[in-house]
C-alpha cells in the first residue's frame, strides 16, 4: 500500500485513560501493601497512603501521603 491509498485520520489521539486505577492504602497494613506495590514498580496506577499517624507516613517511598485531620463536622474528614 502506498501513501496515497492511506486514509488521514488527523492528529494522533492521546490516551485519556492513563492512571485511571487509584490504590489508597489506609492504616498500617494498607500502607505496607501500597509500599510493596510501589516497590514492584507497577505502572499505570496512582498510589497513595493514608494514616492518622503522620510519623509512620514520613519514611514511606510512596509520593502521595494523606493524614486525616480531626473531624470538622459530624461525619466528615478534612484532608
Amino acid at each position: 500500500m502506498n501513501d496515497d491509498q492511506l486514509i488521514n485520520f488527523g492528529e494522533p489521539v492521546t490516551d485519556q485513560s492513563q492512571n485511571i486505577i487509584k490504590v489508597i492504602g489506609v492504616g498500617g497494613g494498607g500502607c505496607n501493601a501500597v509500599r510493596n506495590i510501589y516497590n514492584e514498580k507497577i505502572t499505570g496506577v496512582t498510589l497513595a497512603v493514608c494514616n492518622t499517624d503522620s510519623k509512620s507516613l514520613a519514611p514511606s517511598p510512596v509520593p502521595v501521603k494523606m493524614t486525616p485531620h480531626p473531624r470538622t463536622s459530624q461525619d466528615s474528614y478534612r484532608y
Side-chain angles (χ1 to χ4, degrees), residues 4-64:
D4 60 330
Q5 293 175 318
L6 296 177
I7 299 173
N8 182 358
F9 289 100
E11 294 296 316
V13 178
T14 58
D15 183 5
Q16 299 294 320
S17 65
Q18 294 177 1
N19 293 349
I20 60 170
I21 299 172
K22 315 290 187 211
V23 178
I24 303 173
V26 179
C31 292
N32 288 338
V34 170
R35 183 190 68 234
N36 290 334
I37 295 169
Y38 179 85
N39 289 338
E40 289 294 324
K41 300 184 180 2
I42 295 174
T43 60
V45 178
T46 300
L47 302 172
V49 290
C50 179
N51 200 325
T52 55
D53 182 9
S54 61
K55 291 179 184 177
S56 70
L57 292 177
S60 175
V62 179
V64 180

